[in-house]
């Protein structure tokens, strides 16, 4: 599927705090914890726990959330399909949408029981 400017804008305007409980419910339903979820989000975004909580409390949009993030240098290793979109085929002009889907891919892997050291990608030496 192709990302459109409208779809990118729709995601950009979503409130992160309104989606976070869905992420949490998904991982807890599959035996993972809030700490696991936060660890994955913090690895991807570079936020510490206080910054992550502040963004949730402030009801920040995904646009602001990703503008403030320092995306992990190994994020390019996150590949695959999420919601019908192949992450590595999302155009650079829709970076925010791509980052959102990359984070969702990590959360999906967490919920499916993948080992944390596999989720938090490291370059092969």
């Amino acid at each position: 599927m192709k990302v459109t400017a409208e779809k990118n804008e729709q995601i950009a305007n979503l409130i992160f705090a309104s989606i976070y409980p869905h992420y949490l419910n998904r991982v807890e339903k599959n035996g993972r914890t809030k700490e696991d979820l936060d660890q994955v989000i913090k690895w991807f975004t570079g936020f510490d726990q206080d910054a992550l909580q502040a963004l949730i409390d402030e009801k920040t949009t995904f646009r602001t959330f990703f503008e403030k993030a320092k995306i992990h240098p190994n994020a390019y290793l996150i590949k695959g399909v999420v919601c019908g979109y192949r992450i590595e085929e999302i155009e650079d002009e829709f970076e925010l949408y791509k980052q959102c889907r990359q984070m969702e891919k990590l959360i999906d892997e967490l919920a499916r029981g993948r080992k944390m050291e596999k989720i938090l990608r490291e370059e092969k030496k």
Side-chain angles (χ1 to χ4, degrees):
M1 286 200 295
K2 281 276 197 213
V3 179
T4 62
E6 294 78 23
K7 194 70 167 164
N8 192 63
E9 196 60 24
Q10 183 182 17
I11 294 293
N13 292 322
L14 283 176
I15 304 296
F16 176 73
S18 68
I19 305 301
Y20 182 84
H22 298 288
Y23 293 154
L24 183 58
N25 183 44
R26 173 122 196 267
V27 300
E28 286 181 339
K29 194 170 64 175
N30 290 292
R32 300 308 275 264
T33 65
K34 178 185 186 308
E35 290 72 27
D36 292 336
L37 173 62
D38 289 354
Q39 181 182 356
V40 167
I41 294 172
K42 291 184 298 188
W43 175 87
F44 183 65
T45 61
F47 296 132
D48 62 19
Q49 190 63 46
D50 291 339
L52 179 59
Q53 192 57 54
L55 291 166
I56 292 169
D57 294 344
E58 292 165 10
K59 299 193 178 344
T60 304
T61 63
F62 271 102
R63 174 179 283 114
T64 303
F65 181 85
F66 285 116
E67 283 173 353
K68 292 184 175 188
K70 291 181 181 73
I71 301 301
H72 197 283
N74 288 347
Y76 74 94
L77 296 169
I78 304 167
K79 298 179 185 215
V81 177
V82 178
C83 298
Y85 293 91
R86 178 157 292 284
I87 292 169
E88 56 271 33
E89 292 176 1
I90 297 173
E91 296 90 352
D92 291 341
E93 68 183 289
F94 303 122
E95 183 180 20
L96 182 141
Y97 193 86
K98 184 175 198 167
Q99 291 169 342
C100 185
R101 293 299 179 212
Q102 286 173 316
M103 188 169 72
E104 287 177 357
K105 179 70 173 171
L106 298 175
I107 294 166
D108 185 52
E109 291 174 357
L110 181 68
R112 291 175 184 240
R114 192 165 194 207
K115 290 185 173 143
M116 194 61 82
E117 58 268 15
K118 297 275 191 192
I119 297 170
L120 309 182
R121 288 150 169 85
E122 294 296 322
E123 288 208 63
K124 293 183 175 63
K125 305 249 186 287

